[in-house]
Amino acid sequence: MFGIIIGTHGEFANGILESCQMILGEDLVKSGVRAVILKRGEGPENVIEKYKKAIEELGNPERVLFLNDLRGGTPYNAASTLAVGDEHYGIVAGVNFPMLIGMIQEQMTDDGSETIKELMEKAVAAGKDGIIPTTYEDLNTPTEDEDDL
């Protein structure tokens, strides 16, 4: 199984992880995911140490997927410091709830054959697919299923 580390500014990582636990179950989510947060007054070296500890807690998986909140922010830059030295580490910026759920579900069926790049592509697709605009017209137009009633 690949490891997932959510790295964000403030409590966002903890919140999104807790939300996933509500949907998918606490035991499933705890096994392969860790949240790392940047607190006010901390710097990159603090986050790098937290990432290293999280990787260790995950059992030092061969592949690690960092899901960060913002490209160029401290959590992202800290992940980059680790990823530059390991081709099995990858970073996706712009983490959202559908992305995280999708990647946790991907962990359930992971047989180790996908590269980190393939996992990153799946994360991006899950994140994009989860962004769905809904207009007033959408909400007030009967669907085909409703027409059949």
Side-chain angles (χ1 to χ4, degrees), residues 3-71:
I4 299 172
I5 299 176
I6 313 156
T8 67
H9 295 81
E11 294 293 329
F12 179 47
N14 289 329
I16 197 170
L17 181 57
E18 183 179 332
S19 295
C20 280
Q21 291 170 335
M22 290 173 66
I23 302 272
L24 300 174
E26 190 169 333
D27 292 338
L28 174 67
V29 175
K30 275 189 174 179
S31 64
V33 185
R34 294 294 180 273
V36 170
I37 63 168
L38 170 68
K39 295 179 182 178
R40 194 177 302 271
E42 291 182 331
E45 36 315 306
N46 301 104
V47 180
I48 291 168
E49 287 308 310
K50 290 178 185 183
Y51 282 155
K52 288 178 179 179
K53 181 180 178 195
I55 292 167
E56 189 176 302
E57 288 174 359
L58 291 169
N60 296 306
E62 182 177 300
R63 295 164 297 151
V64 176
L65 180 61
F66 292 93
L67 302 179
N68 292 122
D69 55 357
L70 182 67
R71 184 171 190 233

Side-chain angles (χ1 to χ4, degrees), residues 64-140:
V64 176
L65 180 61
F66 292 93
L67 302 179
N68 292 122
D69 55 357
L70 182 67
R71 184 171 190 233
T74 299
Y76 176 92
N77 293 340
S80 296
T81 298
L82 296 176
V84 75
D86 193 321
E87 66 184 327
H88 299 104
Y89 288 8
I91 308 165
V92 176
V95 64
N96 64 21
F97 195 42
M99 178 189 295
L100 184 56
I101 287 176
M103 296 319 295
I104 291 170
Q105 290 174 326
E106 189 69 31
Q107 279 183 325
M108 291 187 257
T109 59
D110 181 48
D111 63 3
S113 64
E114 291 183 298
T115 66
I116 193 65
K117 185 174 181 184
E118 291 168 327
L119 293 172
M120 292 167 56
E121 290 167 354
K122 286 185 173 189
V124 170
K128 285 182 180 179
D129 290 346
I131 300 171
I132 304 167
T134 304
T135 65
Y136 172 85
E137 289 80 13
D138 295 333
L139 296 171
N140 289 288

